[in-house]
Amino acid sequence: SYELTQPPSVSVSPGQTATITCSGDKLGSKYACWFQQKPGQSPVLVMFQDNKRPSGIPERFSGSNSGSTATLTISGTQAMDEADYYCQAWHSDNVVFGGGTKLTVL
Amino acid sequence: QVQLQESGPGLLKPSETLSLTCTVSGGFTSNHYLNWIRQSPGKGLEWIGYIYYSGRTNYNPSLQSRVTISVDRSKGQVSLKVTSVTSADTAVYYCAREFEDNNTYLYGLDVWGRGTTVTVSS
């Protein structure tokens, strides 16, 4: 089965740039999405088709995808960005999620 | 704005069948997938399966033998059934929508329900 691998945790200081990676076999040949989930809330789509932001998502969120790694970058990270982040892709007509990354802003 | 709302029993006993409904305000319209996703306590997201507006379905291979997703268009509802539940099926269950354009480009799971908690316990 297809797997997407994320680091369990990433820490960043306020105002700095946070980078969250997602690795999978030939992931660059697929489209990657990213979701933000805060405690007790439903996931929110923050990136689709690798680098497109849905309406309402701040410009400080950006994405890329090449080779075997998709990356979510948060520039000028704010305290409100502290959350779990999940990558997701389609593989063989199945939706696959990464294991999630806890972003801590400290 | 489309809204999704999950509903169903919150407590089941082992071996029972889990039955949940996702009500789609505005109806289940063309070019959309309706997915079921769950999240066990303290864990990540797990895809269960989808139904496309045409009625085509596909399921997570790890759950395929126990899962059925169906649609009642007259009610704007998508149903999930999981048979022979165990404690491992204890989770928050979400429905989420994804749009596919005519060129088969997908636009992400952009609308999620608030989720419904299902606990399996004897």
Side-chain angles (χ1 to χ4, degrees), chain A residues 31 33 35 37 40-45 47-49 52 54 84 86 88 90 92-99, chain B residues 33 35 37 39 43-47 50 56 58-61 94 98 105-110 112-115:
Chain A
Y31 276 130
C33 294
F35 300 89
Q37 187 181 33
Q41 298 184 16
S42 303
V44 173
L45 179 70
M47 201 67 56
F48 67 98
Q49 292 180 13
K52 294 181 172 61
D84 293 327
Y86 295 90
Q88 176 256 312
W90 282 79
S92 297
D93 204 32
N94 289 283
V95 172
V96 180
F97 288 100
Chain B
Y33 291 85
N35 291 264
I37 293 152
Q39 187 169 33
K43 302 297 185 182
L45 302 171
E46 180 182 28
W47 176 70
Y50 73 70
R56 177 170 60 92
N58 196 28
Y59 307 122
N60 186 323
Y94 297 99
E98 182 160 20
Y105 286 103
L106 293 163
Y107 286 72
L109 295 157
D110 64 336
W112 292 66
R114 298 180 69 173

Side-chain angles (χ1 to χ4, degrees), chain A residues 13-30:
Chain A
S13 299
Q16 298 304 302
T17 297
T19 301
I20 302 173
T21 59
C22 173
S23 298
D25 185 43
K26 299 177 183 176
L27 180 56
S29 65
K30 311 175 191 297

